[in-house]
Amino acid sequence: MAGEDTHRTFRILSVIAATLISLACGTNYAYSAWAPQFARRMQLSATQSNLIGNFGNFGMYASGIPVGLLVDSKGPRPAIAIGGLALGAGYFPIHRTYDNGPGSMSVTLLCFFSFLTGLGSCSAFSACIKTSASNWQRHRGTATAFPLAAFGLSAFFFTSVSGLFFPEDTSDFLLFLSIGTVTLVAVSFLFIRIVPHLHPPYTAVSTFEERAGLGPRRDSNQMTRPKPRPKDYGASSIDLEPGKNFILIIENADETSSLMSKDSGGPGDISPDDEARHHEDLRLHRLDITGMALLSRPEFWQLFVMLGLLTGVGLMTINNIGNDAHALWSHYDDSVDQRFILARQLLHVSTISFFSFTGRLLSGIFSDVLVKKHHMSRFWCLVASASIFTIAQVCAMSIENPHSLWAVSSLTGLAYGALFGVYPALVADSFGVPGLSLNWGFMTLSPVISGNIFNLAYGSIYDKHSVINRDGERECSDGLECYRKAYWVTFAASVIGILVSLWSIKHERDMKRKARQELEDHRA
């Protein structure tokens, strides 16, 4: 019992450490909190500012494959160490550049350091997700929800602390980002690990046997303990073939209570529906599809396209909510000063972050409830995300009063959080846990494409409505017209996201129906 308590303690400590590290990894979403002031001081156009922000996104998403290979082969700690160093190496030079003023660093170098912040975030965060999913395989939606939620709360945390201790000081905020992210990673690094299973899981041998001349019959399940396989953490590798025995994974007593209930009459009397569900559970445990094998799977392209579309929608607002606020306030009340506008920008960044945290936490946990309690698809969480995104785009295209801009920031944060709260679990369900980090790296290539398209479209549209004032700074005082056309693009992407999500539910239902039919044919 003491060993089990210690084992559980290590798993819980690892989740807590992963959550704290993730709190340092979502700082790219605080870009809008300092980007407008940085652009004005450095005399950058909206397109140049969006380019710098895009390189942060590029570092976050394009580095997923090499980072995934590192995590899957070497474990979480090397990736976390690299992540902490890259975060500090990215933010500190940007802080120094802001202090030195215009001309002190080229846009190319600024893009590089922005890329480092994204690389650091991706490296440490990927390790956290792999650790949580591996340590709690039967509750991966809930376990990954905590680091995912902390990732979404990151911008809120850093902007709130900044507003409390050094308000309206962009230089100190950038310094805080460089020091705070490294500190969180360094302290939590000591406690994170992938904890092996305490005991190899018990298994129940199938009730189907091929007997000479007798055909298949029902029989009592025989409990046995298979040899553990480190790569997939105890999952059996026996293939499901007609006429062959198969293994049902049993990881703890609570999760097998349905098999041992009084109504069952014994371990061998499993209802057809339960047997089909356990057949599906086994399939999920045995999955280990990764690398180039993903490219031949329709499920990969389905998830890839959907993540790209919806992430791009969210990133456009996340990177530009500061510009939205500046344009609306400048048009609504030309007497407001820059300090007032900065405070409103920070408020919207915090709003996005808080609702992203809420969406991630609820989506991850609720997806487990959908699957385990109601036997429904996790894809319903994506339908909800895409629908909220659509509403947010409508608000962004119609709100002219800056007092109402909270609707755009809150809905965007909620939809973005709901998207990422469930996606790692979807990827794990589709392709298995052993290669999750690499598979997630492949998935995150899609936002590189959509994020660049949507952000550069926004920057181009905003610049067309901007003028250069006597101080050499670009300003747009046309209000909503500064950026309205950009939101038509993301509105179309959101609607497509709804349609793809609904198709995914139908496709998943058809695949499960086919699998159950094959099982019924086998039983007959």
Side-chain angles (χ1 to χ4, degrees):
M1 180 64 70
E4 292 179 359
D5 289 343
T6 302
H7 182 262
R8 184 175 180 83
T9 299
F10 279 135
R11 293 162 74 197
I12 292 173
L13 283 175
S14 288
V15 169
I16 294 172
T19 302
L20 291 176
I21 292 172
S22 298
L23 193 62
C25 295
T27 51
N28 281 91
Y29 299 134
Y31 183 70
S32 276
W34 58 270
Q37 291 71 38
F38 188 87
R40 277 194 292 275
R41 177 163 174 78
M42 302 300 293
Q43 298 180 0
L44 303 175
S45 68
T47 300
Q48 289 173 320
S49 179
N50 268 280
L51 187 63
I52 295 170
N54 275 346
F55 267 84
N57 298 333
F58 184 71
M60 167 66 75
Y61 298 118
S63 57
I65 291 178
V67 164
L69 286 170
L70 175 65
V71 174
D72 288 338
S73 62
K74 302 296 183 182
R77 288 193 165 188
I80 291 172
I82 291 172
L85 292 173
L87 283 165
Y91 278 121
F92 188 73
I94 294 175
H95 155 70
R96 294 298 302 156
T97 301
Y98 182 87
D99 287 347
N100 294 332
S104 58
M105 185 177 290
S106 67
V107 172
T108 301
L109 276 177
L110 287 171
C111 288
F112 170 73
F113 289 120
S114 181
F115 172 85
L116 287 182
T117 66
L119 170 64
S121 296
C122 173
S123 185
F125 183 61
S126 179
C128 292
I129 293 299
K130 177 62 179 284
T131 301
S132 298
S134 298
N135 285 346
W136 303 87
Q137 289 193 34
R138 294 289 294 178
H139 302 281
R140 65 173 65 104
T142 302
T144 57
F146 289 99
L148 283 164
F151 186 88
L153 194 63
S154 180
F156 176 81
F157 171 76
F158 279 91
T159 54
S160 297
V161 174
S162 173
L164 182 63
F165 291 103
F166 26 88
E168 303 169 1
D169 192 328
T170 302
S171 175
D172 283 347
F173 180 51
L174 288 169
L175 180 62
F176 176 50
L177 286 173
S178 63
I179 296 175
T181 52
V182 175
T183 302
L184 279 172
V185 173
V187 171
S188 304
F189 176 84
L190 303 173
F191 301 97
I192 195 164
R193 68 182 68 182
I194 293 180
V195 185
H197 284 284
L198 189 61
H199 301 294
Y202 283 100
T203 60
V205 179
S206 169
T207 58
F208 294 110
E209 289 184 316
E210 192 69 45
R211 296 181 147 231
L214 297 178
R217 73 174 182 87
R218 294 186 68 84
D219 196 359
S220 296
N221 282 328
Q222 179 182 5
M223 301 304 293
T224 183
R225 191 189 297 273
K227 295 180 180 179
R229 295 177 63 212
K231 182 180 179 183
D232 48 11
Y233 306 97
S236 171
S237 62
I238 297 178
D239 290 332
L240 286 171
E241 296 176 359
K244 302 293 183 182
N245 288 345
F246 63 86
I247 300 297
L248 294 177
I249 302 302
I250 301 178
E251 291 191 324
N252 60 56
D254 291 338
E255 290 161 357
T256 62
S257 59
S258 64
L259 293 179
M260 307 300 177
S261 66
K262 293 180 180 179
D263 295 337
S264 69
D269 298 323
I270 303 173
S271 71
D273 288 342
D274 284 341
E275 191 165 9
R277 282 197 290 271
H278 291 305
H279 178 270
E280 177 67 12
D281 286 343
L282 172 59
R283 185 188 69 82
L284 297 180
H285 271 274
R286 293 177 58 252
L287 279 173
D288 186 6
I289 303 167
T290 190
M292 300 305 292
L294 293 173
L295 303 182
S296 62
R297 310 282 298 195
E299 295 87 352
F300 168 76
W301 293 109
Q302 159 196 339
L303 290 168
F304 185 87
V305 170
M306 197 153 29
L307 182 65
L309 279 175
L310 297 181
T311 303
V313 172
L315 286 175
M316 192 186 83
T317 295
I318 290 169
N319 283 0
N320 291 286
I321 192 66
N323 288 324
D324 290 1
H326 191 278
L328 291 184
W329 276 109
S330 297
H331 182 75
Y332 182 80
D333 185 358
D334 57 10
S335 66
V336 298
D337 57 18
Q338 291 301 320
R339 297 180 67 180
F340 176 86
I341 293 177
L342 173 60
R344 301 283 79 74
Q345 290 168 336
L346 289 174
L347 176 62
H348 287 295
V349 171
S350 297
T351 300
I352 288 176
S353 181
F354 176 78
F355 278 91
S356 178
F357 156 77
T358 304
R360 287 168 190 262
L361 192 62
L362 293 178
S363 179
I365 296 173
F366 186 61
S367 73
D368 272 355
V369 173
L370 282 177
V371 173
K372 294 178 180 295
K373 300 295 184 182
H374 303 290
H375 309 297
M376 295 174 65
S377 173
R378 293 189 201 270
F379 281 101
W380 282 111
C381 293
L382 293 192
V383 174
S385 173
S387 300
I388 297 170
F389 266 132
T390 303
I391 298 171
Q393 308 317 295
V394 172
C395 292
M397 289 188 293
S398 56
I399 290 175
E400 298 186 68
N401 187 327
H403 290 102
S404 301
L405 191 60
W406 62 268
V408 178
S409 52
S410 59
L411 289 172
T412 297
L414 185 63
Y416 199 80
L419 172 67
F420 277 93
V422 71
Y423 233 87
L426 284 170
V427 174
D429 285 352
S430 298
F431 310 116
V433 173
L436 176 59
S437 294
L438 178 58
N439 293 346
W440 185 246
F442 272 95
M443 283 293 165
T444 55
L445 286 176
S446 58
V448 175
I449 302 169
S450 59
N452 272 291
I453 292 173
F454 295 154
N455 275 295
L456 292 178
Y458 183 101
S460 176
I461 292 168
Y462 197 93
D463 281 340
K464 288 180 180 178
H465 292 271
S466 300
V467 295
I468 300 176
N469 63 21
R470 67 183 69 180
D471 297 323
E473 300 173 349
R474 287 180 176 267
E475 291 184 348
C476 180
S477 57
D478 293 342
L480 180 58
E481 294 304 318
C482 291
Y483 56 81
R484 174 186 252 159
K485 290 181 180 178
Y487 280 98
W488 278 108
V489 179
T490 49
F491 172 78
S494 300
V495 173
I496 294 173
I498 295 175
L499 298 177
V500 175
S501 300
L502 291 172
W503 178 86
S504 298
I505 293 172
K506 180 181 182 300
H507 176 71
E508 184 183 57
R509 186 182 298 130
D510 290 344
M511 294 299 291
K512 287 185 176 181
R513 185 183 298 114
K514 180 180 178 182
R516 289 194 174 97
Q517 184 61 49
E518 290 176 353
L519 183 61
E520 287 297 317
D521 293 343
H522 170 71
R523 293 177 69 247

